[in-house]
Amino acid sequence: MDYDAHLSAALDRLHQEGRYRTFIEIARDKGHFPHAVWHKTDGSTRPVTVWCGNDYLGMGQHPAVLGAMHEALDAVGAGSGGTRNISGTTVYHNRLEAELADLHGKEAALLFTSAYIANDATLSTLRVLFPGLIIYSDELNHASMIEGIRRGGGAKRIFRHNDVAHLRELLEKDDPAAPKLIAFESVYSMDGDFGPIREICDLAEQFGALTYLDEVHAVGMYGPRGGGVAERDGLMHRLDIINGTLGKAFGVMGGYIAASAKMCDAIRSYAPGFIFTTSLPPVIAAGAAASVAHLKSDGALRERHQTQAKILKLRLKGLGLPIIDHGSHIVPLIVGDPKHTKIISDRLLADHGIYVQPINFPTVPRGTERLRFTPSPVHGPKEMDALVRALDALWSHCALNRAELAG
């Protein structure tokens, strides 16, 4: 086999479809984010404004977070030195898990190197803990949840997105005595819509199923203390396992689950994705703990975040642009073609210094390619005006004509 030719063909297909991903090298400007510096391939630089980051609240530059990280770095150095079982558990890891358990009103929490790994490792391991487990998964669940369910093997049922009636039909068809788990999200990141948490909890209680809620795009940003949509709606106590990230609203890195002490202990003891992975560096754990602790009392920051999202959506609607608005902080602008989406992204960057990555298949279905804007409290009126003017000029110039965009 000509392996090199096969690699070239695979990459060529992505280029032809307009789905080849280009990584833009940027350096965030500490203290001035969302401003950053774009390092071009020709060696030159240009200031840009980041409009597609997941540091939703700007906590990646918050003094409390940076101070905690500096203190930990000076105290214990860079890495953790091992897995959690072998020299990789520190006071910083235990402190962070305690903060997270408290955040979600659970007995315990368990840290992973990312929310992807937390989903994958936990969902696949639940099959080991509950033989014969049937998992019911929303069709738009994140890739990490899909992978965890797939790797675990066993029976799975896919219900139509947010379709509680369909979920009920599937539950009714299965053995009432079989162990069951319903896996879903609180905020779906590509459309920004909310999962029907209360209704799913009702079904779970009726059919004796465990509940697994991914709050990755909600922790830190919703609820009185940033516990997510489940906290906002007073439903945390009805959920068995909550998954979250430390790399979005909390501005650092890592993932976790929060659950009963026994559930966390079992996952800790059986999940290869936890057992055999070097633990998070103490400096990361320290920064994340400081961020979680701070956001428990900074409701004003959450309010400013929601206000900025509402303003941007209102202004883009005023231009007649095809955005999706489900009431969350995520602002998807639908283009509907991968090549055109890339062209618009490139022009925003090159002509206006605005950085927003194209979102293409398989992240979203074909025909729904989009630009996904993530306004934050650190996007001020100046940045907002610049974005709105740029999109207005670009759409007006192209007359919303895709043929012109391609030309």
Side-chain angles (χ1 to χ4, degrees):
M1 175 180 284
D2 187 341
Y3 295 102
D4 192 66
H6 276 265
L7 293 175
S8 295
L11 292 170
D12 286 344
R13 286 196 298 272
L14 294 178
H15 281 289
Q16 291 167 8
E17 295 173 15
R19 295 196 296 118
Y20 181 78
R21 289 175 168 84
T22 300
F23 294 166
I24 305 299
E25 182 181 339
I26 64 169
R28 297 186 358 151
D29 187 0
K30 188 189 74 166
H32 299 94
F33 186 74
H35 298 289
V37 177
W38 171 27
H39 291 262
K40 301 182 183 181
T41 55
D42 63 6
S44 63
T45 62
R46 173 174 180 168
V48 297
T49 302
V50 178
W51 273 98
C52 59
N54 284 336
D55 186 357
Y56 289 131
L57 301 177
M59 291 302 293
Q61 61 182 351
H62 195 282
V65 175
L66 300 183
M69 295 180 79
H70 280 295
E71 181 180 333
L73 181 65
D74 292 339
V76 300
S80 67
T83 65
R84 288 293 296 276
N85 183 53
I86 304 176
S87 79
T89 295
T90 70
V91 63
Y92 303 101
H93 296 85
N94 289 336
R95 183 181 300 157
L96 176 53
E97 287 176 338
E99 286 282 5
L100 293 168
D102 172 73
L103 176 68
H104 293 290
K106 300 299 182 186
E107 293 177 337
L110 192 65
L111 284 174
F112 293 82
T113 51
S114 72
Y116 186 108
I117 299 300
N119 273 333
D120 185 3
T122 303
L123 287 166
S124 60
T125 300
L126 287 171
R127 302 280 200 187
V128 177
L129 300 173
F130 304 106
L133 180 69
I134 303 171
I135 297 182
Y136 304 80
S137 176
D138 188 288
E139 67 177 342
L140 293 188
N141 276 342
H142 190 265
S144 58
M145 302 173 76
I146 295 170
E147 181 63 13
I149 294 168
R150 184 196 67 79
R151 284 203 314 107
K156 66 179 178 183
R157 313 282 187 255
I158 309 302
F159 61 93
R160 291 186 292 271
H161 179 53
N162 281 350
D163 191 334
V164 178
H166 186 218
L167 173 59
R168 173 182 286 277
E169 290 176 15
L170 296 174
L171 287 162
E172 289 175 338
K173 292 178 181 178
D174 284 319
D175 181 358
K180 302 174 179 68
L181 179 138
I182 305 170
F184 63 111
E185 300 184 35
S186 62
V187 177
Y188 289 85
S189 63
M190 289 300 113
D191 284 349
D193 55 332
F194 294 94
I197 302 176
R198 188 181 304 277
E199 292 84 353
I200 288 178
C201 286
D202 289 343
L203 282 181
E205 290 181 5
Q206 180 180 347
F207 289 91
L210 295 171
T211 47
Y212 187 104
L213 178 65
D214 181 308
E215 287 257 39
V216 160
H217 289 274
V219 289
M221 296 175 289
Y222 295 87
R225 299 198 309 155
V229 178
E231 185 198 22
R232 182 196 70 180
D233 296 345
L235 298 170
M236 287 196 301
H237 64 288
R238 301 183 66 186
L239 294 153
D240 295 293
I241 304 173
I242 295 175
N243 168 275
T245 183
L246 304 168
K248 293 183 171 61
F250 295 124
V252 193
M253 177 188 175
Y256 63 90
I257 60 167
S260 68
K262 190 171 290 186
M263 180 69 77
C264 288
D265 193 17
I267 298 298
R268 178 189 70 86
S269 301
Y270 280 88
F274 177 85
I275 296 170
F276 299 105
T277 300
T278 299
S279 66
L280 286 171
V283 64
I284 296 292
S291 185
V292 174
H294 175 85
L295 286 177
K296 286 177 180 178
S297 61
D298 198 344
L301 188 61
R302 279 186 283 279
E303 290 179 9
R304 290 202 301 274
H305 179 225
Q306 292 295 323
T307 297
Q308 290 299 88
K310 290 176 183 176
I311 291 172
L312 179 60
K313 285 185 283 189
L314 184 64
R315 295 189 66 177
L316 295 184
K317 286 178 184 178
L319 296 178
L321 300 185
I323 70 165
I324 299 175
D325 183 6
H326 288 290
S328 73
H329 60 282
I330 293 169
V331 186
L333 174 59
I334 303 300
V335 180
D337 178 271
K339 293 182 179 179
H340 302 152
T341 307
K342 180 67 165 60
I343 290 170
I344 296 171
S345 172
D346 288 345
R347 289 190 180 181
L348 283 171
L349 183 64
D351 300 343
H352 302 278
I354 292 171
Y355 172 47
V356 55
Q357 275 290 93
I359 306 293
N360 297 320
F361 178 84
T363 307
V364 295
R366 296 182 192 276
T368 69
E369 291 82 3
R370 66 198 63 186
L371 300 174
R372 176 180 173 272
F373 297 97
T374 53
S376 75
V378 293
H379 287 90
K382 179 180 178 182
E383 290 80 15
M384 185 95 60
D385 288 344
L387 173 63
V388 172
R389 284 196 302 267
L391 286 173
D392 188 25
L394 181 57
W395 245 258
S396 298
H397 174 71
C398 297
L400 292 177
N401 187 311
R402 291 181 175 177
E404 290 186 37
L405 280 175

